[in-house]
Amino acid sequence: MSDQTPITILDIGTTKVICMQVRPDQSTPGFEVLGYAYLPCTGLSRGSVVDIDTTVHAVRSAVKEVESQTNSRIRDVMIGLSGLHVSSTASNGIVGIRNKEVTTVDVERVIEAAKAIAIPDNQTLIHTLPQEFIVDGQAGVKKPIGMNGVRLEACVLMLRAVTSALQNVVKCVEMCGLRVKQVIAQPVAVSQSVLSADEKDLGVCLLDIGGGTTDVGVCKRGALRHVSSVPIAGEHVTNDLAVALCTPPKSAEAIKVAHGKIISTEYEGAQHITVDSLSNQSTQKVSTQLLSEVIEARYHEILSFVKRDLKEKQLLDMIPGGIVITGGGALVPGLVDLTKRVFNCQARIAEPTIVLQDRTLVDAGYAASLGLILQALQERDRLDGSKAGAVTRMWTAFQHWLDYHL
Ligand SMILES: Nc1ncnc2c1ncn2[C@@H]1O[C@H](COP(=O)(O)OP(=O)(O)OP(=O)(O)O)[C@@H](O)[C@H]1O
Ligand SMILES: [Mg+2]
């Protein structure tokens, strides 16, 4: 693959499919967007396919739209994976250093040793992320090659997915005549697109509040340390509104996006909006305060759930950099203040930028797509394995990882 070969990514979420094709170039952020399509899709629930036909139709339509924009035929794609079935395990490996000086081969051996833990039969390993090395008991080593010693240890984070869930997403993509070149866990991708090097170093928690799940990633000392997922997100907020306002879910979604706010503590006075009844034959007036209270209650639950999870895993003290929020669910006004209150720390909404045909789009909802592109660009050389041997490919990937993270 030459450097200029376009890369196509698919972000298949609970509510939508995004297909984006980019061409690497020398500009900032390092690529030019050639084509972009966003299509609603209800074929997934919490990251798993629940309706193959709907998913295939949405993916095919999104890809066709990009093909017509770029006047090209798309064959290879990189896909993002998120949701309840993606999880992480930390593992350590230890080997003797063969010639008293660490070589690339020692590093490969120690990473392989760290990977040698039992993965449940129903799960597939999708990423092995080296975090740090220990040479003769000296911890925190970032680049061990060339160091003298007799014993090398590696700490890695292994990201895995439930195999059937992974296979079903891949199957839907392949049914569109596409070839999946790479599966990327979205927390890995999003951490690329929205976190600064300082944040990753100091320690932050990344929240991707999507439609069906809130994906959690914790970064510390320059690397991703933990990945998990909470089964509550934007669709639950919409359902709550539908129940509270006695309105169809479609109307509840439109009202949430147009009028939703988390401001109940500083309510500004009585305002009312018109809401469709369930039968769609009449309307009713609803106070915006009620709207805010319903929205705030569900977001409070999501954040409390995440906080409890982090506390149980003893990660809460590892994130002095605070919380960085992405995903469509991050777009509700007032979320930063609520997050600060719940976690008692700093919080911000991530705002990745994409320049698309002279339009500049700044939106937390693009974080996953942008991250997939950045990750795909990074992985591109590694995937060009026709000439390189397995060891060389692994080392190249590791070098990329080092260059990016350290
Ligand atoms: N302005 C807004 N205010 C509140 N919520 C919003 C807004 N815009 C979008 N959302 C919500 O964001 C959610 C979709 O976010 P996103 O596109 O990140 O999800 P997804 O990737 O499809 O789902 P998942 O990541 O869970 O698989 C929807 O529930 C939608 O209602
Ligand atoms: Mg998503």
Side-chain angles (χ1 to χ4, degrees), residues 68-299:
S68 72
Q69 289 168 13
T70 57
N71 206 11
S72 67
R73 168 97 172 79
I74 295 172
R75 180 91 178 95
D76 296 329
V77 290
M78 311 259 185
I79 62 172
L81 204 66
S82 66
L84 284 187
H85 58 93
V86 179
S87 56
S88 67
T89 313
S91 175
N92 288 3
I94 181 165
V95 294
I97 299 167
R98 279 197 179 141
N99 296 314
K100 309 284 181 270
E101 184 179 303
V102 180
T103 62
T104 58
V105 175
D106 293 318
V107 172
E108 287 166 16
R109 284 171 50 235
V110 78
I111 291 173
E112 280 305 310
K115 281 166 69 175
I117 58 163
I119 290 188
D121 285 347
N122 66 340
Q123 302 201 355
T124 300
L125 183 64
I126 46 177
H127 294 282
T128 304
L129 306 174
Q131 302 189 311
E132 66 176 313
F133 297 90
I134 304 167
V135 179
D136 283 358
Q138 184 193 329
V141 175
K142 295 187 170 180
K143 296 186 178 180
I145 292 162
M147 289 183 71
N148 284 30
V150 292
R151 198 180 65 172
L152 178 66
E153 295 170 58
C155 308
V156 302
L157 189 73
M158 294 161 69
L159 265 60
R160 44 204 168 76
V162 172
T163 306
S164 57
L166 169 63
Q167 284 171 340
N168 284 330
V169 176
V170 171
K171 183 181 197 169
C172 288
V173 175
E174 288 178 347
M175 283 169 75
C176 301
L178 301 164
R179 200 165 47 192
V180 176
K181 286 284 271 187
Q182 174 83 4
V183 176
I184 298 167
Q186 282 191 185
V188 176
V190 177
S191 69
Q192 297 254 35
S193 62
V194 301
L195 297 182
S196 70
D198 286 342
E199 281 176 326
K200 275 193 265 190
D201 219 30
L202 194 61
V204 283
C205 174
L206 190 59
L207 293 187
D208 180 350
I209 307 181
T213 57
T214 296
D215 296 317
V216 184
V218 173
C219 289
K220 180 86 178 172
R221 293 195 299 281
L224 198 59
R225 303 274 156 180
H226 166 78
V227 165
S228 62
S229 191
V230 170
I232 327 170
E235 283 190 340
H236 300 81
V237 180
T238 302
N239 286 342
D240 290 350
L241 285 175
V243 171
L245 309 181
C246 265
T247 193
K250 262 196 171 163
S251 308
E253 173 72 19
I255 288 165
K256 179 180 83 170
V257 171
H259 304 284
K261 283 186 186 126
I262 302 174
I263 52 156
S264 59
T265 50
E266 45 186 82
Y267 179 57
E268 290 158 353
Q271 288 173 9
H272 289 83
I273 52 167
T274 305
V275 175
D276 291 335
S277 71
L278 268 181
S279 64
N280 270 324
Q281 284 171 354
S282 59
T283 57
Q284 48 171 326
K285 290 243 182 250
V286 171
S287 91
T288 49
Q289 184 173 14
L290 172 65
L291 200 67
S292 291
E293 283 171 2
V294 173
I295 294 173
E296 174 166 348
R298 189 56 101 165
Y299 272 95

